[in-house]
Amino acid sequence: MNYYTSDEHTFDCVILDGNVVTAADVGRYDIAIKDGKIALLAPANSLRGSSAKRIIDAEGAYVTPGGVDAHVHLAEPSLFGKGQSSDDYTSGSRSAIAGGTTTIITFAAQLKSETSLLPALERNFAEAAKGAYCDYSFHLIVSNPTKDALDELPLLKRRGVTSVKIYMTYEALQLRDNQILDVLLRARAEGITTMIHAENGDMLQWMTERLEEQKLLSPRYHVTSRPPILETEATNRAISLGQLVCAPILIVHVSAPSAAEIIRNAQSLGHPVYAETCPQYTFLTRAALEKPGFEGAKAVCSPPPRNSEADLEGIWTHLKNGTFTILSSDHCPFNYDDTAFGKKAAITCDAPDGHFKHIPNGCPGVETRLSLTFSAKRLAPERFVALTSTNPAKLYGLYPRKGALIPGVSDADLTIWYPSGKMQPFSISNDLLHHNVDYTPYEGIEVSQWPRYTLLRGEVVWDRDSSGLVGRQGFGQFCARESSFWHEDLPDWDVANY
Ligand code: DUC
Ligand code: ZN
Ligand code: ZN
């Protein structure tokens, strides 16, 4: 049956015959788009013959809400070892849409020398204004939580920034436990979500000194310097600190199944603890850092990829069973072959094979996140959508504008995949990617799916079978965020009640 054939139902775009996936279910629908929003979902093929400026036949392929990548570093100064981001907002967001991601949340980093949070925010607004291909928002990294800085949290919230990130390691960023408590207490009061990088910085420094004594400096020792106990101890402590002041927390980039277990226990006791993992912990092991020469530097990120296939399995299990709330890329781009700002900045006369502690920590992955994960066929499609789009939108106050397909409400951000048998599987290779990085840690991994089309607010911005990238630099918009969808109304906290 054709429901909509008259001109009064002119749509901007109609997607026919999609196997439409949301976080709740999967079903065969047509989707109509008007003024950048989802206008209507109708039974599959019922919109054939309707009038629309553009009609895309999904041919029964999966259609998912555009990816929301809530952990992306762009245009950042040196924070994680030597080195500077090789991607700016333009190249990073270009890479995002080519991989099916339509919204990214990046980091605005307060420097320890700054007493205010606002300069970091202004810097990032200015960087993003140079032109993004996808929609974006910011988390604020708090590295100097003075009273004045924390007094700015309500202002941040009014400007649509409803999350902060804090670190338990890195000289340039590490907070003491009392500072963490200060942040958690103020953030909870303002309805701001606190993300925590959970690794014990003092243990790391001590381990590094021991390795230096033995001149064990090559990239593989990055893993040795950061065994899982650094992560589990810090995860446990972060949860305890959150518990002390009844604050919701999100542990970012969890790599060790033992840390995921700790999180799961806290969740089962009813504590508001959320967790994120990333493809580097479902696809890479320490073997990637043990390649000959300096090659292993390509996979240096923190926490590091863990020991074995069993660790990868453990992380997949926690993705399936609900311990992890979101799966992000932690796209943190540094060129490899760059002795000034890239991985090779860690090679010096004193350390001709490089010194692991100076290797910039981070791997690119904003473009490969969805395809790698979807192609793995380890998650039910609904769970895949929950982890990569709907849950990050809910967690960070973008829902239901993002991460959903609600007529009249949600932006028409869509990823349209290939119908079965229509895409030739291929091996990921850096020359196919659109970031400004000279390598990918996923080189050679075969994928059976890739986004055929990406739509952002109803516009086709990626069309793999024709011109590829068809989006426009500057089309991406800043998304002001609300408090987390899951932010509970917390009772006032008073030390006298203890
Ligand atoms: N933490 C991040 O979140 N990204 C890159 C490096 C790091 O340690
Ligand atoms: Zn981190
Ligand atoms: Zn990160």
Side-chain angles (χ1 to χ4, degrees), residues 71 73 80 165 167 170 197 252-253 302 330:
H71 192 143
H73 299 265
F80 317 118
K165 182 177 178 192
Y167 285 77
Y170 292 121
H197 178 128
V252 288
H253 48 50
S302 291
D330 196 0

Side-chain angles (χ1 to χ4, degrees), residues 2 21 25 46 74 90 104 168 171 186 204-205 217 225 246-247 264 282 358 360 397 408 414 429 433 436 457 493:
N2 286 340
V21 189
D25 48 31
S46 63
L74 300 176
T90 302
I104 55 176
M168 299 171 87
E171 222 177 302
R186 282 305 294 273
L204 168 63
Q205 192 185 333
L217 306 178
S225 71
C246 302
R264 190 163 184 82
T282 50
H358 296 308
L414 297 168
S429 142
L433 304 180
N436 185 38
R457 284 178 273 108
W493 188 88

